[in-house]
Amino acid sequence: MSTDTPTLDTVEMLKMTGQQAVSAALFQAMEEDPKVLVFGEDVADREGGGVMGTTKGLSTKFGDLRVRSTPIAEQSIMGAAIGAAMAGYKPVAEIMLMNFITVAMDMIVNHAAKLRFMSGGQSQVPLVIRTLTGAGWQTAGQHSDHYEGWFAHTAGIKVVAPSCPADYKGLLLSAIQDPDPVLFIENSQTMFVPGEIAANQGPIPLGKARLVQEGKDITLITYSGMVANTTAAAAELAKAGISAEVIDLRTVSPWDKDAVLASVEKTGRAVVVTEAGRYFGPSAEIAATIQETLFGKLKAPVRRLGGPYCAVPFAKVLEDAYLVQSADVVAAAKGILG
Amino acid sequence: MSTDTPTLDTVEMLKMTGQQAVSAALFQAMEEDPKVLVFGEDVADREGGGVMGTTKGLSTKFGDLRVRSTPIAEQSIMGAAIGAAMAGYKPVAEIMLMNFITVAMDMIVNHAAKLRFMSGGQSQVPLVIRTLTGAGWQTAGQHSDHYEGWFAHTAGIKVVAPSCPADYKGLLLSAIQDPDPVLFIENSQTMFVPGEIAANQGPIPLGKARLVQEGKDITLITYSGMVANTTAAAAELAKAGISAEVIDLRTVSPWDKDAVLASVEKTGRAVVVTEAGRYFGPSAEIAATIQETLFGKLKAPVRRLGGPYCAVPFAKVLEDAYLVQSADVVAAAKGILG
Amino acid sequence: MQLNSEAMPEQGVFQRGNMSQSNQAGNAATPDSAAQLDIFRRMLRIERNDDATRAQIRRGRITAPYYSARGQEVIPSTLSNLLTNDDKICTIYRGIHDMVAKDMPLRPLWAEICGRVDGTCKGKGGPMHLTHPETGVMVTTGIVGSSMPIANGFGWASLLNGDKNVTIAYFGDGASNIGAFHEALNLASVWKLPVIFVCANNGFAEHTRYENGTSVDFIAKRAIGYGMPGFTVDGNDPFDMYAHAHAAIERARAGEGPTLLECKTFRFMGHVFGDADGYMTKEEKEAAIAADPLPAFRQKLIDTGIATEAQLAELQVKLEAEVQDAIDFAFACDYPDVAELRRDVFAEEIPA
Amino acid sequence: MQLNSEAMPEQGVFQRGNMSQSNQAGNAATPDSAAQLDIFRRMLRIERNDDATRAQIRRGRITAPYYSARGQEVIPSTLSNLLTNDDKICTIYRGIHDMVAKDMPLRPLWAEICGRVDGTCKGKGGPMHLTHPETGVMVTTGIVGSSMPIANGFGWASLLNGDKNVTIAYFGDGASNIGAFHEALNLASVWKLPVIFVCANNGFAEHTRYENGTSVDFIAKRAIGYGMPGFTVDGNDPFDMYAHAHAAIERARAGEGPTLLECKTFRFMGHVFGDADGYMTKEEKEAAIAADPLPAFRQKLIDTGIATEAQLAELQVKLEAEVQDAIDFAFACDYPDVAELRRDVFAEEIPA
Ligand SMILES: Cc1ncc(C[n+]2csc(CCOP(=O)(O)OP(=O)(O)O)c2C)c(N)n1
Ligand SMILES: Cc1ncc(C[n+]2csc(CCOP(=O)(O)OP(=O)(O)O)c2C)c(N)n1
Ligand SMILES: [Mg+2]
Ligand SMILES: [Mg+2]
């Protein structure tokens, strides 16, 4: 576990958003490796380089055959990604929003994730699925869900969920070069927030957590959209004299067990915070593993915070209540600190 | 929590398989309620009443409009179920095998599970999805998966997974009359095994676990295909002087927390056994909840057993290794008993 | 092997061209004066409502994304003239015009898009998930293509009920390329369901031009592959729409099965409110707006003596008052209580 | 609004009827003697292999479900005669005949269906997931419809590579009703991919008769909806198959895009080994078997002097020896080690 932020004063630092970092990673990856392809709905410049503009400029620079807009047909998008990946390419397919992945689950779960195994290693499927999601924009029940837990439960696909510009770039570069399928989750709360990033930010290894801040009383484990609220909660806790260690997992599957367990062994207490639903969600695996491994060393039960058991609601007041707020994290931490 | 097996000597007991119990429930439900519909691929008698014969006789008795075979089009099957359910019917839709549910995830997750909430209670979607799955038949990576964890993580749909004929019938009767969508999982290892069932077996409430056997040293929590192996393990443990309580959850979501927590509070130890993958799977929620609720009362960490992190393999020797065997449960139990 | 020819599926049909002008079917229905006036009323109700919605967004009083259907009014207005409250619609994120055409009351509609507890969905669904069963607004979906398979379920229910209701599945041209379209049309045809598949072909799917995502020159041709009638209709012409909608509805009510109507139109406001429209030419947009069906039809009603300028002005005043009333109502409503997160997940409330 | 007519998708075509007999295209390709003999060799290799597989199942030596394609040999045999090892196929659970036709070696095939470590997939995939990249057998799927979207990816790769390879997506008649079919054909047409969609229309999807699940009388008609050529072919006639396969492959190699071939055939052994066939009539099954293309084509080769009885008998002996060798090989192989559960999940082995 490391911060992966270059600390030398000589490194030129830039300010960019997660979206710009994703764009930078795509440009760099396509430049460095002619096998990298980018496609999905509206991604080419004829269509404006994505409805959010994230892929703007790529088709003009790398041509219409490597950067292609598709019909609205996510099964077909994922199928084409799988075939091209097996044929030696490195497709980066965009599924506009994570809820739309529901129409392509067969391709991802039964095929992309399994083909290497089912073929006894003959097939490899080095594709990346970029998808945006997250509550907060009042897009309600069908445009906001965090389903990374489904994919973490599915063997054969990695799940990456950055929270800051440097990670958006560094993790995407690694995901593209990874020999296996990777689901790359862009969160609507973090994607458009500017932050510091080294001008030459390179790949950041998958599966390694980021230590957001050190602490000794309690470990707060989170990723993606919840890193900001959790970090804010840590600041709040500090005011109350509580020293919280904050870990950004960055990769949900395979997750950085070593980093998490070492931290919780040190602090003796943990809260896991996700935007994904709390029940049967990714936080359960982390809590279950911590208690299994550190039994007897914990000073308190591992607490989980996440979406309540309902669809993401529309009304702002409900959407705010749906999302874990930093006050919730503070309350949970104080709760287990007694 | 109860056994739900009538104990009066006057109750006539029959021997039937889970499949026959499902068939009996469908006949009874269609007879009692003209709103109940049955459909899916090959379910009508013209097509042999299902490729397994589970729905044989229904279309002849209840007519071709209430019992309909469909094209191979699972999105269309689920869509029709949703619309009919909203229009006041109680459709029981068959998705032949659980892996094929991957092509209908949008309909189930974005629509069936959410329409009541998104409509503020105006819509209700009382449908049942019957689906068969489970390893053991050498059908490999695309015909054996237990994905109930995905649906337990999805708010608005109940998940039921019986393990014996009485439960197959009783839970299906309840699922059909439930006002909300229910995923009803038929397991290939339990569905064709004969067992005792009351001739007049009625509905068994959803959300209530079944106490398979009482014990005091450790609680073994399981459901569906793993009940048999877990019960066998309990018998093995008894020989070693270990008294294991075995709980069959029957409903995975919402699960019977009260029953599980009461049992583990008593025994102080728990092993959760699923056929579903161990990682980020349903057992994690149960383990995480137990440690959260019973912290300080546990004599050992909660252990989880489940499918390893890979697709279900083809070769018998690998398939056997994939599935949790009773010896694995015995070893885990002995492990935490020290 | 020869398939049993008696059991053969019905032949599909594709027709293009203005039915009302060429009277291809030999007996194309035409809207009488009352029907024309009613269609116009619905169009104007849509347009006034849309205009007010955009005004409220510009004032920052509505924060959700908004998918205007300005320009597409003729399609649902004509269909709705031929529907009853018992006939059902399944529509999409761009479907507010379909609901307004179906005479959904505006108060619960506005309260919903403002996220208030008196909204038709208690503020939990919002503009992309409006539902109003009383007027047959059954499903509004944000997932491209999903209106169609669900519409089939309502159609099946009508067969089971033995009623003569029809269900409309509204969708866009882009949606005709997704799997759900295919599965739904095939099932509807095999089961002879009383469902009408109404494609508002506005030439674009988000930023993708029709021909860059769609492999066929007329979506209605796809009907051939489902053994059902398919028509490419001028979706901006109330007469052509009426003739085809009438035939499709009659066919559905008579138990003869589904129809695919591809209705050519244009969306004047881009994909989503704020859309820069960079993916279309200025000329094509201007040409489309110049051919705006709303003022054209208004003029026609006057020219043909069906209504006077004064009558139409009065209608407009009435509709604007209705919209304003709905806005005032909505903003006076309370926000939903957070306890709503535990309600309507299941029939039974989730315990706190 | 009028769509830009220059950018309009190509018109779709549907043709029915025996191209080799009527020579509709005016220049239908015919297989020469060597090609005919090669097609027959592939057919017989399939049949002998299938026969041996069923024998081993009856003896209890293979325990997995088996989906025989007995009766469908002409389709992949003819196509494979026109393909190279660089051309790829994506096939289905019933696709072992497609692989055998493509000259996949039988030893790794048999070792795989027997679950041995020397199987082409180390025993991890089994008969429904056979893969053999050396002969272009890229994907075998157990999910109806899924061969098609993946085939497009190989087609796209060919465009990117600038090679002239084609990819065949094999599927059944029932699969033509699922969403993946629609999405794949549309994309292939819009992108002009060198993919051929080969539907083995054997009249049944599991127990469902064609017309009870499929809304169109000829699946090839659906090509019209994708602006691509579609042909209903006699899939039991090597000449008709050859003419259409040749044209489709030429078209794909020339960069002109995809073709849909609906090949009429029959499966003699039901859906799965042990199937009671209760959903078809005795007569139709007997009639189909009476028209078995294998002995008919054999006789034709002799009648036309392309081969002698002795030559074909010798060919059979050779093929049977090859099959027997593969069986002996397979059963002598080891079972995979349980450590295989940690291998091939990712490129990097999962730690124990
Ligand atoms: C399955 C799915 N994929 C992608 C999207 C994102 N999306 C929303 S609207 C839209 C375009 C739809 O175009 P069309 O069907 O023509 O309808 P229109 O918006 O023009 O009315 C897309 C791609 C979605 N909502 N659902
Ligand atoms: C998505 C999906 N749904 C259902 C099935 C179960 N199933 C396996 S084969 C089959 C019939 C397919 O028929 P067809 O496409 O005609 O091919 P055939 O078996 O006749 O070769 C079905 C329904 C499946 N494998 N995948
Ligand atoms: Mg459109
Ligand atoms: Mg078939």
Side-chain angles (χ1 to χ4, degrees), chain A residues 11 18 23 89 127 195 204 217 240 291 310:
Chain A
V11 171
S23 167
Y89 288 87
L127 59 82
I204 294 174
D217 299 327
Q291 67 83 30
C310 65

Side-chain angles (χ1 to χ4, degrees), chain A residues 224-270:
Chain A
S224 190
M226 284 296 130
V227 172
N229 282 353
T230 305
T231 309
E236 199 57 42
L237 289 167
K239 291 188 203 153
I242 298 167
S243 160
E245 182 143 310
V246 179
I247 294 179
D248 176 355
L249 286 180
R250 301 202 286 203
T251 299
V252 178
S253 177
W255 60 289
D256 192 344
K257 238 176 281 191
D258 293 346
V260 170
L261 294 174
S263 171
V264 181
E265 182 153 16
K266 175 179 78 175
T267 61
R269 297 178 188 89

Side-chain angles (χ1 to χ4, degrees), chain D residues 221-268:
Chain D
K221 275 194 185 170
R222 291 185 169 160
I224 296 168
Y226 308 110
M228 73 167 75
F231 300 94
T232 299
V233 184
D234 183 344
N236 286 356
D237 175 354
F239 293 86
D240 198 26
M241 268 307 301
Y242 191 90
H244 287 96
H246 191 274
I249 292 170
E250 289 297 290
R251 174 177 153 85
R253 296 206 203 282
E256 290 161 20
T259 301
L260 171 60
L261 299 181
E262 174 194 16
C263 312
K264 294 287 206 74
T265 186
F266 203 93
R267 51 165 166 68
F268 295 167

